[in-house]
Amino acid sequence: MILRPRRLRRTAAIRDMVKETRLSPSMLVYPVFVREGRNIAEEIPAMPGQMRYSPDTFPRILERVAEAGVGAVLLFGVPEHKDEIGSQAWAEQGVIQQALAVGRRHFPDIIFIGDVCLCEYTSHGHCGVLKGETVDNDPTLELLARTAVSQAQAGADVVAPSDMMDGRVGAIRSALDGAGFEDTLILSYAVKYASAFYGPFREAAGSAPAFGDRRSYQMDPRNVREALREAQLDVDEGADMIMVKPGLPYLDVLRAVKERSCVPVGAYSVSGEYSMIKAAAERGWVDEERAVSEAAVCLVRAGADVLVTYHALSLAEWIREGRL
Ligand code: PBG
């Protein structure tokens, strides 16, 4: 007798019955860029198939999100006016606040997540206020907290700090509680690496740093124990969920964080991961559906409870059709 693992792979029905990794549309989060203006839905050149919407056209995409059964949207604001401190981030009529208000009113079943960071709003493109040429951590905390509260006021269910300042989860938690938003969740980008894979996003959001880079506040790709420390600190400060970012190049980190944390863990498949597959698929070098599906499955297998991806709408469709 030969022992045959292959028997379990004999037919599609058997493979489907015994598969170890299962995806559902409700675990997906779709990132959306909202820019100031009216009647705008423009394609982002570095991210074929992804658009920037003005607050009035934004419901168009929400309709598709709701139809697809995608769990949540993650909103990025692209303001018209930027300044040294990024004050449009917490403006009452800021672009993200407008988008949240519209979305909340018309789409009760979608979870709305606001990205909390200053880089899209500052004239210098860094994620906090500057002292000379470096980001000043502690004064930035107050502005992030203000931004989070204003997003909660506008209707965010979840705020997601992506700035990587030390102590921001605690600062945001106490500001939310103080303003009566005890039930607003914090999804912390606890483990965010200084990555080349954010390239297309910086074009989409107009948030490339005017000088220097983000290595003094984002993580060094060579480190994994540091990721565990960042994750632990954020959980201790009150993060309800934590995220690892980017996705595919950091599967080992995702697994390590998942094994040691008792909160749900998200993975962010970032803009560069999206655009690489798009570009290769356009040239006929990879099969888009298979590459996207495989990447998503690998992220979930490595530990993602929640998956943030620009492919969320297609993935939801393929999942519902039983294709992955
Ligand atoms: C803001 C932020 C960035 C991303 C998410 N939030 C850019 C950055 O840190 O430069 C990147 C997302 C992506 O590439 O899809 N700080």
Side-chain angles (χ1 to χ4, degrees), residues 204-215:
S207 65
F211 61 87
D213 55 42
R214 303 205 203 291
R215 278 187 272 196

Side-chain angles (χ1 to χ4, degrees), residues 36 77 79-81 83 85-101 117-118 121 143-155:
E36 245 157 315
E80 202 70 59
H81 301 289
D83 57 30
I85 59 170
S87 58
Q88 281 302 305
W90 59 87
E92 213 175 300
Q93 280 305 309
V95 62
I96 203 164
Q97 287 77 4
Q98 290 180 44
L100 284 166
C117 192
L118 300 182
Y121 304 91
L143 306 183
L144 293 167
R146 236 190 261 181
T147 303
V149 170
S150 86
Q151 291 185 0
Q153 252 150 7

Side-chain angles (χ1 to χ4, degrees), residues 28-34 58 62 65 70-77 96 100 110-116 151 158-162 187 189 201 243 245 268 308-310:
L28 301 175
V29 178
Y30 185 49
V32 182
F33 298 93
V34 189
F58 174 54
L62 294 178
V65 168
V70 166
V73 289
L74 170 60
L75 302 186
F76 294 97
I96 203 164
L100 284 166
I110 299 178
I111 299 166
F112 286 88
I113 311 176
D115 183 86
V116 175
Q151 291 185 0
V158 185
V159 292
S162 69
L187 162 59
Y189 292 67
F201 174 96
M243 195 144 67
K245 177 179 174 198
Y268 195 142
V308 184
T309 168
Y310 299 95

Side-chain angles (χ1 to χ4, degrees), residues 61-320:
I61 191 69
L62 294 178
E63 262 156 46
R64 292 185 51 204
V65 168
E67 225 166 81
V70 166
V73 289
L74 170 60
L75 302 186
F76 294 97
V78 187
E80 202 70 59
H81 301 289
K82 306 187 185 221
D83 57 30
E84 277 286 301
I85 59 170
S87 58
Q88 281 302 305
W90 59 87
E92 213 175 300
Q93 280 305 309
V95 62
I96 203 164
Q97 287 77 4
Q98 290 180 44
L100 284 166
V102 175
R104 221 334 106 257
R105 204 161 45 241
H106 300 294
F107 296 89
D109 296 334
I110 299 178
I111 299 166
F112 286 88
I113 311 176
D115 183 86
V116 175
C117 192
L118 300 182
C119 66
E120 299 108 281
Y121 304 91
T122 52
S123 43
H124 43 76
H126 278 286
C127 301
V129 287
L130 298 179
K131 189 165 71 185
E133 298 230 318
T134 56
V135 173
D136 203 358
N137 192 92
D138 294 3
T140 300
L141 299 183
E142 204 235 315
L143 306 183
L144 293 167
R146 236 190 261 181
T147 303
V149 170
S150 86
Q151 291 185 0
Q153 252 150 7
D157 303 287
V158 185
V159 292
S162 69
D163 52 282
M164 287 297 277
M165 298 303 129
D166 291 334
R168 87 260 204 233
V169 173
I172 288 172
R173 185 70 272 159
S174 59
L176 287 172
D177 292 351
F181 296 104
E182 292 94 349
D183 287 343
T184 304
L185 277 74
I186 299 178
L187 162 59
S188 165
Y189 292 67
V191 180
K192 178 173 176 184
Y193 285 91
S195 173
F197 293 102
Y198 308 148
F201 174 96
R202 291 179 188 173
E203 187 202 278
S207 65
F211 61 87
D213 55 42
R214 303 205 203 291
R215 278 187 272 196
S216 67
Y217 42 102
Q218 298 182 350
M219 283 182 46
D220 185 333
R222 292 170 290 200
N223 296 349
V224 63
R225 282 183 299 140
E226 187 188 354
L228 302 177
R229 182 162 178 248
E230 289 281 6
Q232 188 62 50
L233 283 169
D234 283 11
V235 171
D236 291 346
E237 287 176 34
D240 300 287
M241 306 187 254
I242 55 178
M243 195 144 67
V244 174
K245 177 179 174 198
L248 275 194
Y250 296 89
L251 292 180
D252 59 325
V253 179
L254 181 59
R255 165 56 55 190
V257 167
K258 176 65 178 271
E259 276 169 3
R260 288 166 187 78
S261 309
C262 293
V263 297
V265 176
Y268 195 142
S269 180
V270 301
S271 57
E273 296 173 62
Y274 173 85
S275 299
M276 283 194 303
I277 294 182
K278 274 282 171 194
E282 268 173 18
R283 286 163 181 73
W285 293 344
V286 296
D287 178 289
E288 183 170 350
E289 179 178 337
R290 288 187 54 201
V292 169
S293 301
E294 185 176 331
V297 164
C298 292
L299 287 158
V300 174
R301 189 200 60 223
D305 301 300
V306 170
L307 182 56
V308 184
T309 168
Y310 299 95
H311 294 288
L313 291 173
S314 328
L315 277 168
E317 195 181 311
W318 301 331
I319 294 167
R320 285 201 321 208

